[in-house]
Amino acid sequence: MNILMLCNKSPWPPLEGGPIAMNAMAEGLVNAGHTVKILAINSNKYSVDPRQIPREYRDKTRIETVYLDLSVKWLPALKCFLSHKSYHIERFISPAFARTLKDILRNEKFDIIQFETLFTTPYIPLISSFSNTRLVLRAHNIEHLIWKRMADNCLNPVKRFYLRHLAKTLREYELSILPTLHGIVAITAKDAEWFQGQAPGIPVTDIPFGIMPDAPPEQGNSTKKDTGNDLFHLGSMNWQPNLEGIRWFVKNVWPELHQNFPDLKLHLAGRAMPEWMVRMKMPGVVVDGEVEDAAVYMQSHGIMVVPLFSGSGIRIKIIEGMRAGKTIITTTVGAEGIDYSDRKNILIANNKEEFIHAVRQCQANPDLVRILGANARELVISRHNNSLLMEKLTDFYSALLP
């Protein structure tokens, strides 16, 4: 099959959740024998120098990028508010992207056009005017649910009102786009159930984030000494659920943990660290910022904490952490989409007391940490085999073709 992937971020370099998931999909499709063409938005939010994309990657994906400024602009946001349109979606509408897409569609025929995330779907009317290609949404999340959960957790009444408005308009758009699709590829079985309920006439499947099963845990070349069971968080801070979760953790959980374990360290790493976090002077907290190699960083630290209270879909960094044999402490929301067993291959904590209890258990029982990490790796290797997932996706796409 010839597949066009429309991406809201460049899959290369795969440095954060969305690009990692899109890159795994592109690599998996190519390895499965399909022809892939990528058209991606290159923005100030995730900036890529196209000249730095490796030749091999360009050859096998034929990647093109179009720059789009995704900065929040208050006048367009106000217009969307007054017209009851989704500002999240309107930001991704670009004449330059549309022109490039037209050129591609004029010169090449595709069996499947795969929309990576909801934010590339505004181009469906343009595509439909050129061809009757099968249109498939690869839903990384139920997008409006992220903002609904953020609104529910927000204490500021003014901010909560606006977040609810954003969630409402995004939900209306999300539902309106479903009848224009020929298929939906959800990233979790739970999300697939939601889409089936909202669009009962449209074929839906679930294809989670895939990994190469034969890859051993990355040991890397870190020169750091063994840090034992220290804590770390690795995630992009330009994604609001990550930022909210870490703000809550360092304010509510860490002070008591530090009091009980004065030698324990909490390492924070990821892209787009806010200034307040960089300047934070909290005992035992080390802000490492953006790291060159996530796999090496994971192997340099002990227990991964992911305090998520909003969000949707599946957390790519948790899957990568489990693949690396790490013990993960996260919330029920953070573990959504993973076929986990609490206390067997992950530790679930949904409030301050549960996070503290989980950390205490790990500090008191190194064998528990080792067993949880080994079980976590076994789980993702068996359930997230990218080769098998691509076979399932190929069967799904074959059934969609006329």
Side-chain angles (χ1 to χ4, degrees):
M1 278 180 269
N2 192 16
I3 300 170
L4 174 62
M5 290 178 60
L6 300 182
C7 303
N8 67 319
K9 298 179 181 180
S10 173
W12 191 96
L15 298 178
E16 60 182 46
I20 291 170
M22 290 184 280
N23 180 66
M25 174 65 78
E27 297 272 10
L29 288 170
V30 170
N31 292 338
H34 301 293
T35 302
V36 173
K37 166 74 178 177
I38 293 175
L39 177 60
I41 290 172
N42 184 10
S43 75
N44 54 311
K45 296 291 186 179
Y46 194 78
S47 182
V48 175
D49 183 351
R51 297 169 299 181
Q52 299 299 316
I53 299 176
R55 167 66 66 180
E56 180 187 3
Y57 195 86
R58 280 183 278 159
D59 288 344
K60 66 184 176 184
T61 65
R62 300 178 292 150
I63 185 170
E64 291 186 54
T65 63
V66 177
Y67 185 79
L68 179 57
D69 184 359
L70 292 179
S71 302
V72 174
K73 299 180 177 64
W74 295 109
L75 183 57
L78 178 61
K79 289 180 179 178
C80 285
F81 179 81
L82 296 175
S83 62
H84 208 74
K85 292 182 178 179
S86 172
Y87 184 51
H88 288 108
I89 299 298
E90 293 294 311
R91 291 165 64 203
F92 284 88
I93 298 176
S94 160
F97 191 89
R99 285 194 298 271
T100 304
L101 179 56
K102 281 182 185 178
D103 290 340
I104 292 171
L105 294 174
R106 286 191 182 109
N107 294 314
E108 191 170 351
K109 299 296 182 183
F110 297 94
D111 299 299
I112 300 287
I113 295 181
Q114 182 172 301
F115 299 89
E116 291 285 333
T117 79
L118 188 70
F119 305 111
T120 58
T121 59
Y123 300 96
I124 286 178
L126 183 155
I127 294 168
S128 298
S129 68
F130 275 84
S131 72
N132 60 353
T133 302
R134 304 293 91 176
L135 308 180
V136 177
L137 170 64
R138 190 207 182 191
H140 291 218
N141 308 283
I142 300 172
E143 296 294 347
H144 79 271
L145 184 58
I146 298 174
W147 295 88
K148 180 183 182 300
R149 285 172 168 173
M150 288 173 60
D152 292 344
N153 292 327
C154 182
L155 299 179
N156 184 311
V158 176
K159 184 178 179 181
R160 183 170 62 247
F161 169 79
Y162 186 62
L163 289 175
R164 284 177 175 168
H165 166 80
L166 291 176
K168 184 175 186 291
T169 54
L170 189 57
R171 183 178 190 275
E172 290 172 356
Y173 177 84
E174 198 161 16
L175 293 176
S176 73
I177 211 68
L178 299 184
T180 68
L181 301 166
H182 299 101
I184 299 170
V185 177
I187 206 165
T188 71
K190 182 177 180 180
D191 287 3
E193 287 180 10
W194 184 86
F195 283 113
Q196 286 168 336
Q198 301 300 322
I202 299 173
V204 179
T205 190
D206 60 290
I207 305 289
F209 168 63
I211 62 170
M212 296 305 294
D214 56 343
E218 300 282 352
Q219 297 302 322
N221 299 311
S222 174
T223 58
K224 287 189 177 184
K225 64 180 181 179
D226 179 13
T227 49
N229 287 342
D230 68 345
L231 308 183
F232 75 96
H233 177 273
L234 179 60
S236 296
M237 289 300 152
N238 55 6
W239 194 55
Q240 283 297 317
N242 278 342
L243 189 61
E244 283 186 347
I246 289 302
R247 182 185 281 117
W248 173 85
F249 190 86
V250 297
K251 178 181 178 181
N252 296 285
V253 180
W254 181 251
E256 186 168 335
L257 278 178
H258 179 68
Q259 185 176 4
N260 292 330
F261 304 99
D263 294 329
L264 185 65
K265 301 294 183 184
L266 169 63
H267 290 262
L268 305 177
R271 303 179 68 248
M273 287 285 180
E275 193 63 29
W276 69 264
M277 193 176 294
V278 174
R279 294 183 177 180
M280 182 169 53
K281 302 295 183 184
M282 186 168 285
V285 177
V286 180
V287 181
D288 295 315
E290 186 170 358
V291 295
E292 185 175 344
D293 190 315
V296 170
Y297 188 81
M298 287 181 179
Q299 290 302 327
S300 301
H301 299 288
I303 298 161
M304 187 174 184
V305 291
V306 189
L308 276 180
F309 298 96
S310 57
S312 174
I314 196 168
R315 305 282 67 79
I316 303 301
K317 280 291 186 288
I318 291 182
I319 297 295
E320 290 192 318
M322 296 177 94
R323 175 193 179 187
K326 297 279 106 176
T327 289
I328 316 287
I329 305 175
T330 189
T331 61
T332 304
V333 171
E336 279 184 356
I338 301 171
D339 190 18
Y340 67 88
S341 297
D342 186 21
R343 297 186 57 79
K344 178 181 178 182
N345 42 43
I346 203 168
L347 290 175
I348 299 297
N350 289 309
N351 54 46
K352 170 186 171 181
E353 290 73 23
E354 290 176 0
F355 266 99
I356 292 173
H357 179 67
V359 173
R360 280 177 174 159
Q361 284 184 301
C362 292
Q363 297 303 311
N365 190 351
D367 285 341
L368 173 66
V369 174
R370 178 183 56 78
I371 293 169
L372 284 168
N375 290 344
R377 176 169 165 77
E378 181 180 343
L379 172 69
V380 297
I381 286 177
S382 63
R383 301 296 175 90
H384 295 266
N385 182 321
N386 209 29
S387 297
L388 297 180
L389 293 174
M390 291 304 104
E391 290 180 13
K392 180 181 177 181
L393 182 63
T394 298
D395 291 341
F396 180 74
Y397 280 172
S398 296
L400 295 181
L401 296 180

